[in-house]
């Protein structure tokens, strides 16, 4: 029915996973897309070695693409190490979204959660984050 | 042949716009983002081509044939613009890039000379950012004050606010037609209110000049700004209209070539109007293209274009109002609404609406429309917006409706 709004996106938009906020989180990070006003906030709990994500929640508002993407990403990264997340790229995430046919403007909605998450991870380990990271 | 209910021959008009033959996803395009920019008729495209093919030269300087022809055509366009809005003379027409540049020019050239500490500038909550930000900067610099006229729930200016604001005012700057809500403001009345407090009246005509007959002498505004690309012309050409006596008083904005009369080692004097405000090589193709666009609009008739849009907006409001869960913003009376309808589908973000509509080849805008203060009024992050022009028709409103119904189906709302 649609080249963009695959069932997986609509499902996560309607029933977001890991929605909420973790108290006493190790990482709290927030970013937005000034173009459409999409907002994502992740709160993350790490294991005792401060190396693996044991819990993650998100808050946000915005379009279905950005919010579904935030939900899907939260499922993927639970249990992953910081190094594994640093290795993640946009294609990994887009594949999980079903490779929707998004133009250059809308693709920013889909990638905002990954950008936000990486921003949080990089600043936690004291490294500088760039869009290419 | 015109059908009985038609005020203009849309079928014939559509033939002049090659881009409207385009298909998107295999479907005939429905272009409904005219408040952002309009499509260009062949006549305009060919006028620009003709300029580059036959008489391209820099204007105002050369004494050879090409330069004289280019100058003549460019200055003819200026006269056409003056007549189009009924200015007193071509001297009152300054070519700029767009409405934004024109408003910045006013805030910079007029504002820096005339605004002092504690002076008051009044704007409205329905302004485009281009009629907000230059004033914010000026007010900060001069320690002056910025006031607002708010909005009613229906998207009209809350005129009572005007009387609550401390006087005197130095400037009252407002839009003629809201680019988001479509509200047509009572400009003559607002100009009178401004003048009664001793303020200059500035009108943002970006959404009105392309769509209805405009008479600046009658309206009696001190400045009016508009953009060529929103009225079938090319991008990069816009107009600042101002009363001659104000332009004579004001200092130049940009300086350098073209805008001078005499240049000495430490002093210079300024060129005559309107060139005093046009430093550097101007956008000649833009001026010529805009002149041709005005010719096209005049041939159809601005009063007819307004009538046509009024019918479209009436029909669209009726049809869209039947869709459950559709929130429509702005006034509902076609008499005080331009061809602009902003809406939201309950439970669906405006960008998702626009993306699905695009799959159906219905091209609308979604976002804050450079009017964040309007978004604040209705407490939404974004709105979807359909905006009409002379080449739109009833069939396209049906396509819009069907595409919105598809949004509801996909999102199950």
């Amino acid at each position: 029915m649609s080249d963009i709004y695959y069932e997986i996106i609509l499902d996560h938009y309607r029933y977001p996973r890991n929605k909420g906020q973790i108290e006493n989180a190790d990482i709290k990070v927030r970013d937005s897309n000034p173009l459409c006003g999409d907002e994502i906030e992740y709160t993350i709990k790490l294991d005792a070695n401060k190396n693996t994500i044991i819990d993650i929640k998100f808050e946000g508002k915005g379009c279905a693409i950005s919010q579904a993407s935030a939900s899907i990403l939260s499922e993927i990264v639970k249990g992953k190490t910081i190094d594994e997340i640093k290795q993640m790229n946009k294609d990994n995430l887009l594949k999980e979204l079903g490779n929707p046919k998004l133009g250059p403007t809308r693709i920013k909605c889909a990638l905002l959660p990954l950008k936000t998450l990486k921003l949080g991870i990089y600043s936690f380990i004291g490294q500088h984050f760039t869009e290419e990271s | 042949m015109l059908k009985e209910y038609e005020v203009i021959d849309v079928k014939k008009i559509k033939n002049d716009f090659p881009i409207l033959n385009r298909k998107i996803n295999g479907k005939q395009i429905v272009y409904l983002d005219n408040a952002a920019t309009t499509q260009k008729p062949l006549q305009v495209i060919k006028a620009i081509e003709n300029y580059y093919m036959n008489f391209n030269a820099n204007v105002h300087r050369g004494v050879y044939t090409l330069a004289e022809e280019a100058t003549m055509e460019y200055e003819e366009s200026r006269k056409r613009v003056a007549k189009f809005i009924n200015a007193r003379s071509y001297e009152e027409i300054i070519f700029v890039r767009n409405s934004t540049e024109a408003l910045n020019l006013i805030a910079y050239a007029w504002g820096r000379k005339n605004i002092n500490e504690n002076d008051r500038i009044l704007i409205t909550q329905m302004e485009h950012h281009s009629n907000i930000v230059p004033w914010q900067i000026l007010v900060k610099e001069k320690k002056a004050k910025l006031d607002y006229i708010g909005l009613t729930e229906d998207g009209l200016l809350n005129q009572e606010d005007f009387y609550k604001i401390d006087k005197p005012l130095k400037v009252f700057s407002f839009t003629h037609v809201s680019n988001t809500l479509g509200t047509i403001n009572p400009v003559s009345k607002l100009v009178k209110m401004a003048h009664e407090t001793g303020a200059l009246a500035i009108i943002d005509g970006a959404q009105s000049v392309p769509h209805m007959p405009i008479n600046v002498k009658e309206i009696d505004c001190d400045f009016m700004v508009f953009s060529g690309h929103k009225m079938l012309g090319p991008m990069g050409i816009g107009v600042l209209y101002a009363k001659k006596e104000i332009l004579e008083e004001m200092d130049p904005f940009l300086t350098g070539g073209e805008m001078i009369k005499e240049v000495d080692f430490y002093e210079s004097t300024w060129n005559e109007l309107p060139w005093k405000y046009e430093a550097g090589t101007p956008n000649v193709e833009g001026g010529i293209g805009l002149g041709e666009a005005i010719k096209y609009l005049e041939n159809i008739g601005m009063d007819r274009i307004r009538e046509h849009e009024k019918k479209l907006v009436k029909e669209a409001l009726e049809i869209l109002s039947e869709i459950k869960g559709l929130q429509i913003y702005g006034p509902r009376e076609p008499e005080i609404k331009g061809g602009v309808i902003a809406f939201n589908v309950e439970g669906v973000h405006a960008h998702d609406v626009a993306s699905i509509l695009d799959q159906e080849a219905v091209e609308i805008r979604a976002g804050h429309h450079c009017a964040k203060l309007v978004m604040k009024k209705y407490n939404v992050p974004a709105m979807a917006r359909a905006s009409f022009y002379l080449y739109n028709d009833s069939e396209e409103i049906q396509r819009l409706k069907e595409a919105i119904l598809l949004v509801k189906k996909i999102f199950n709302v």
Side-chain angles (χ1 to χ4, degrees):
Chain A
M1 193 146 79
S2 165
D3 295 336
I4 299 177
Y5 296 90
Y6 297 123
E7 203 44 51
I8 181 159
I9 289 178
L10 293 168
D11 183 57
H12 276 265
Y13 178 60
R14 282 188 204 121
Y15 312 106
R17 327 295 201 260
N18 302 314
K19 188 91 192 255
Q21 227 177 17
I22 298 173
E23 286 193 24
N24 309 319
D26 293 298
I27 300 173
K28 183 174 178 178
V29 60
R30 193 184 180 81
D31 202 5
S32 65
N33 175 353
L35 215 69
C36 21
D38 292 342
E39 283 174 22
I40 304 288
E41 181 202 81
Y42 278 118
T43 42
I44 299 165
K45 192 82 195 152
L46 299 171
D47 68 346
N49 297 326
K50 302 293 175 201
N51 186 43
T52 305
I53 293 181
I54 53 171
D55 198 11
I56 178 166
K57 286 196 187 303
F58 83 96
E59 288 282 8
K61 50 183 184 187
C63 66
I65 306 284
S66 67
Q67 301 306 302
S69 174
S71 168
I72 289 168
L73 184 65
S74 74
E75 284 196 318
I76 302 170
V77 298
K78 212 181 271 188
K80 279 202 162 47
T81 65
I82 282 176
D83 271 344
E84 282 172 322
I85 288 163
K86 281 173 75 179
Q87 299 303 320
M88 272 189 77
N89 63 34
K90 59 181 183 180
D91 294 333
N92 304 136
L93 178 59
L94 291 173
K95 198 174 152 220
E96 298 290 340
L97 294 171
N99 284 323
K101 293 193 180 70
L102 297 169
T105 310
R106 294 307 308 279
I107 205 156
K108 292 202 177 92
C109 307
L111 296 176
L112 177 65
L114 183 60
K115 184 177 162 233
T116 309
L117 177 68
K118 284 198 165 185
L119 189 70
I121 296 285
Y122 273 80
S123 76
F124 180 74
I125 57 176
Q127 286 182 17
H128 184 63
F129 171 75
T130 62
E131 293 270 344
E132 288 75 40
S133 295
Chain B
M1 266 292 280
L2 281 177
K3 290 187 190 126
E4 203 181 319
Y5 58 87
E6 286 178 333
V7 283
I8 59 177
D9 192 344
V10 177
K11 265 225 163 72
K12 189 164 163 266
I13 290 169
K14 271 186 191 294
N15 283 334
D16 291 329
F17 292 81
I19 204 169
L20 298 180
N21 288 323
R22 250 202 87 164
K23 291 199 164 55
I24 294 184
N25 283 333
K27 293 159 196 147
Q28 183 83 28
I29 193 172
V30 175
Y31 184 77
L32 296 177
D33 194 17
N34 294 289
T37 197
T38 60
Q39 299 305 340
K40 322 303 172 198
L42 264 176
Q43 289 85 336
V44 169
I45 297 168
K46 282 192 171 147
I48 296 167
E49 186 189 74
N50 184 35
Y51 163 62
Y52 282 120
M53 299 272 282
N54 294 307
F55 58 97
N56 172 48
N58 209 332
V59 289
H60 299 140
R61 275 175 282 267
V63 290
Y64 51 94
T65 307
L66 293 184
E68 281 177 351
E69 283 177 10
T71 304
M72 200 184 75
E73 287 293 325
Y74 182 65
E75 291 303 329
E76 272 307 308
S77 284
R78 192 193 305 276
K79 287 179 191 153
R80 200 174 282 281
V81 171
K83 204 169 137 259
F84 187 65
I85 59 168
N86 200 31
R88 286 155 208 87
S89 140
Y90 70 90
E91 296 166 299
E92 298 183 322
I93 304 299
I94 316 293
F95 280 137
V96 290
R97 271 194 307 148
N98 45 38
S99 305
T100 298
E101 183 175 305
L103 288 164
N104 275 273
L105 191 160
I106 302 169
Y108 192 92
W110 185 88
R112 269 161 195 74
K113 191 171 183 179
N114 294 288
I115 295 294
N116 300 305
E117 200 173 326
N118 292 326
D119 280 349
R120 305 193 92 90
I121 291 170
L122 179 63
I123 57 178
T124 88
Q125 199 179 346
M126 69 167 73
E127 298 312 310
H128 186 281
H129 296 162
S130 59
N131 200 18
I132 299 173
V133 184
W135 303 117
Q136 289 176 339
I137 292 171
L138 178 66
V139 157
K140 265 206 188 114
E141 206 179 298
K142 296 285 188 175
K143 297 195 176 74
K145 296 205 164 71
L146 186 62
D147 290 309
Y148 283 89
I149 290 193
L151 301 177
T152 66
E153 283 309 308
D154 300 337
L156 304 182
L157 289 183
N158 197 351
Q159 289 185 32
E160 282 165 27
D161 288 352
F162 183 89
Y163 300 101
K164 290 182 195 153
I165 286 155
D166 288 343
K167 309 285 181 328
L169 299 172
K170 271 288 182 76
V171 172
F172 181 18
S173 187
F174 50 90
T175 190
H176 191 166
V177 175
S178 160
N179 75 321
T180 311
L181 303 167
T183 318
I184 301 177
N185 288 319
V187 281
S188 296
K189 185 180 171 194
L190 297 176
V191 168
K192 218 172 146 218
M193 284 156 71
H195 288 165
E196 277 167 8
T197 68
L200 284 192
I202 302 169
I203 300 180
D204 175 357
Q207 301 293 343
S208 63
V209 175
H211 300 280
M212 58 188 71
I214 295 289
N215 185 335
V216 288
K217 253 197 291 194
E218 212 172 272
I219 295 170
D220 196 31
C221 52
D222 299 288
F223 294 96
M224 185 181 276
V225 307
F226 54 99
S227 297
H229 71 95
K230 292 189 200 290
M231 49 191 291
L232 310 182
M235 288 185 177
I237 188 83
V239 174
L240 167 69
Y241 156 81
K243 286 178 179 165
K244 190 178 169 186
E245 55 270 28
I246 295 171
L247 290 174
E248 278 169 344
E249 274 293 302
M250 257 162 66
D251 288 333
F253 176 41
L254 300 175
T255 59
E258 182 63 34
M259 51 73 64
I260 46 83
K261 182 180 270 168
E262 297 289 344
V263 175
D264 210 335
F265 283 100
Y266 302 105
E267 292 286 337
S268 299
T269 54
W270 315 141
N271 199 344
E272 289 166 5
L273 293 177
W275 304 289
K276 172 181 167 186
Y277 294 97
E278 293 183 11
T281 294
N283 180 358
V284 180
E285 66 155 273
I288 289 171
L290 175 58
E292 196 64 31
I294 289 176
K295 236 187 260 180
Y296 188 95
L297 292 170
E298 282 174 334
N299 273 338
I300 289 163
M302 293 310 293
D303 43 353
R304 282 168 179 265
I305 291 169
R306 169 68 190 131
E307 273 312 305
H308 173 69
E309 285 182 27
K310 211 192 284 180
K311 280 190 168 185
L312 282 182
V313 88
K314 181 170 183 280
E315 194 182 336
L317 282 171
E318 280 166 12
I319 288 172
L320 298 184
S321 298
E322 286 168 14
I323 301 176
K324 255 180 127 178
L326 197 79
Q327 177 73 42
I328 297 174
Y329 306 95
R332 298 300 186 100
E333 304 84 36
E335 282 302 322
I336 52 164
K337 194 174 176 79
V340 180
I341 299 180
F343 62 93
N344 268 318
V345 180
E346 211 183 314
V348 187
H349 192 282
H351 279 100
D352 295 321
V353 173
S355 282
I356 292 172
L357 263 57
D358 175 51
Q359 289 175 44
E360 298 303 302
V362 176
E363 311 293 45
I364 65 154
R365 185 70 170 271
H368 52 63
H369 312 289
C370 295
K372 285 223 166 191
L373 302 187
V374 175
M375 301 302 116
K376 275 193 207 301
K377 167 72 187 175
Y378 295 99
N379 202 19
V380 293
M383 293 178 187
R385 178 189 70 186
S387 51
F388 309 112
Y389 210 12
L390 71 173
Y391 38 62
N392 294 121
D393 60 22
S394 303
E395 220 172 284
E396 292 174 327
I397 294 172
Q398 283 302 326
R399 292 268 308 274
L400 172 66
K401 174 192 161 187
E402 279 154 28
I404 294 172
L405 292 176
L406 181 64
V407 171
K408 293 188 43 138
K409 197 170 158 195
I410 288 176
F411 274 82
N412 198 18
V413 289

